[in-house]
Amino acid sequence: MENILNEPIKNYLTEKSKSFGGNELAAKFRKDFPSEIEKIIVDKNRFKVVGSPGKGNWTECPWIAILDVLITDSPQKGYYPVLIYKSDMSGIYLSLNQGVTDVIENYKKEAISVLKLRAEDFRAKIDFDSKNYLIDIDLNSTTRNAKHYQAGNIIAKYYPKENLPNSIQLRNDLTEILEFYENLTYSDNSFSDDLSTIGFERKQVRLHRRIERNTSLSKKVKKLKGYRCEVCEIKFTEIYGDIGKDFIEAHHLNPISELGIGSFKVDLKNDFAVLCSNCHSMIHKLDDPSDLIKLKQIIKNT
Ligand SMILES: [Zn+2]
Ligand SMILES: [Zn+2]
């Protein structure tokens, strides 16, 4: 475990002067370090850990990101906790940060201001102790990526090389930052939710919607299950012709009540249904929004 923190600090700058292809330390960033982090995360099915020493060439600030697969499966978008090393290897940040690639592509020159604004917005949504977290990080690098990661920082802990955390400390810090990550997911209300739910239930509905909005997941679901509504059996093209081509909604099935910090495996076939927009709205009105049969009966009997 300590290796993840120590080894790059000791060797990265030396290795970086050597050729990138086939480098052992670079390989560790892609494989060994992420799997070490995976070992200390409680909910292994839910999180995917990915690391990078750079693409095609050494990056100044290598990183290891922890992605909630329900929210994003790519470190290029969304937000997630990341261990990111200072370019001079004088220390490491554990930062709740944002995927910068997506923002750069969409906002070009404005990307830095967009990241800063979003970071501020995220910070307003979580209840963190400002004594324990930094809102500014300094990666000591002028590369484009580093500047964007600095702007994207929501909150961070800093570990100077003289005072690296042991595995227990790191595990505790990771757990805490994963809780903030979870809270952000729940508090994201950038989509409407018209359901009159409260408290925990509301959080679950939000998480449910969040999952359904995960475009890469829902694409896979549609590819697997096709475009015919599993309840009323309409297909949009049969009613709307060409403009209805490839249109259907992915609905995340229960057990919603079992969704949460507990273990969760993504099972595309059994955890999702494809529904037309009407059936999708209506199924959310049921006490058990996973009860496809009940909704079918309602249609039949009306
Ligand atoms: Zn339908
Ligand atoms: Zn749904």
Side-chain angles (χ1 to χ4, degrees):
M1 180 75 237
E2 269 92 357
N3 286 348
I4 299 176
L5 307 172
N6 262 329
E7 204 177 319
I9 285 199
K10 270 196 274 173
N11 304 333
Y12 194 79
L13 294 178
T14 324
E15 293 305 308
K16 197 170 161 255
S17 64
K18 301 180 189 165
S19 115
F20 185 65
N23 185 283
E24 233 174 86
L25 184 61
K28 283 186 177 175
F29 265 101
R30 292 184 208 102
K31 203 157 170 257
D32 302 29
F33 295 162
S35 56
E36 283 298 304
I37 294 283
E38 261 163 29
K39 277 185 206 150
I40 64 168
I41 294 175
V42 190
D43 193 349
K44 292 173 184 62
N45 294 322
R46 171 112 176 235
F47 297 101
K48 174 170 135 190
V49 184
V50 289
S52 172
K55 252 188 190 165
N57 208 343
W58 297 100
T59 182
E60 291 207 339
C61 306
W63 51 261
I64 302 158
I66 301 145
L67 309 172
D68 182 338
V69 295
L70 295 177
I71 298 174
T72 177
D73 57 6
S74 152
Q76 306 190 328
K77 47 190 179 187
Y79 50 89
Y80 47 79
V82 60
L83 277 166
I84 186 161
Y85 297 71
K86 270 183 92 140
S87 70
D88 56 2
M89 295 295 137
S90 59
I92 309 162
Y93 290 99
L94 172 60
S95 163
L96 185 54
N97 214 297
Q98 305 173 59
V100 300
T101 313
D102 212 35
V103 178
I104 295 173
E105 263 167 31
N106 286 311
Y107 295 95
K108 314 250 162 20
K109 279 184 186 157
E110 300 300 320
I112 292 214
S113 354
V114 170
L115 288 164
K116 281 186 180 163
L117 270 175
R118 283 192 187 167
E120 218 166 283
D121 184 50
F122 282 136
R123 271 195 294 277
K125 288 176 179 161
I126 51 176
D127 191 15
F128 68 100
D129 187 343
S130 55
K131 286 200 292 285
N132 294 333
Y133 286 96
L134 303 166
I135 57 172
D136 289 314
I137 65 173
D138 178 8
L139 295 167
N140 195 30
S141 166
T142 51
T143 61
R144 193 168 85 137
N145 267 350
K147 281 191 199 154
H148 286 88
Y149 281 123
Q150 284 174 186
N153 179 61
I154 302 165
I155 51 171
K157 289 218 160 169
Y158 180 59
Y159 310 127
K161 70 174 179 193
E162 308 75 39
N163 193 14
L164 295 175
N166 61 28
S167 11
I168 297 167
Q169 252 173 296
L170 183 62
R171 181 196 297 245
N172 289 345
D173 289 351
L174 265 175
T175 307
E176 196 169 276
I177 215 149
L178 284 172
E179 267 165 37
F180 286 125
Y181 187 22
E182 188 93 15
N183 285 338
L184 264 188
T185 308
Y186 283 149
S187 70
D188 187 331
N189 48 9
S190 54
F191 45 94
S192 70
D193 87 48
D194 52 346
L195 299 151
S196 51
T197 45
I198 46 161
F200 189 59
E201 206 184 330
R202 180 172 204 92
K203 284 182 177 177
Q204 288 172 335
V205 171
R206 284 185 170 154
L207 183 57
H208 168 96
R209 293 281 170 98
R210 183 95 218 183
I211 296 165
E212 291 182 347
R213 281 200 322 162
N214 179 327
T215 42
S216 83
L217 264 185
S218 72
K219 260 189 208 154
K220 287 181 202 154
V221 171
K222 292 171 194 177
K223 217 175 154 193
L224 185 77
K225 307 198 103 181
Y227 296 88
R228 188 173 294 282
C229 175
E230 288 181 48
V231 170
C232 72
E233 293 174 5
I234 74 136
K235 209 173 173 182
F236 279 85
T237 43
E238 292 167 358
I239 300 175
Y240 300 96
D242 279 353
I243 58 167
K245 195 170 176 290
D246 293 350
F247 188 85
I248 198 78
E249 297 182 5
H251 169 61
H252 184 255
L253 296 167
N254 255 4
I256 290 189
S257 55
E258 286 165 25
L259 260 187
I261 310 172
S263 76
F264 182 84
K265 237 186 197 156
V266 181
D267 177 347
L268 296 178
K269 195 156 182 262
N270 295 312
D271 290 346
F272 290 87
V274 289
L275 299 177
C276 73
S277 313
N278 285 344
C279 292
H280 194 188
S281 296
M282 290 302 114
I283 204 158
H284 277 286
K285 296 202 175 262
L286 298 181
D287 288 336
D288 174 5
S290 69
D291 199 344
L292 297 177
I293 295 167
K294 176 99 189 263
L295 193 62
K296 279 184 195 167
Q297 278 167 352
I298 294 175
I299 294 179
K300 224 177 170 183
N301 298 336
T302 314

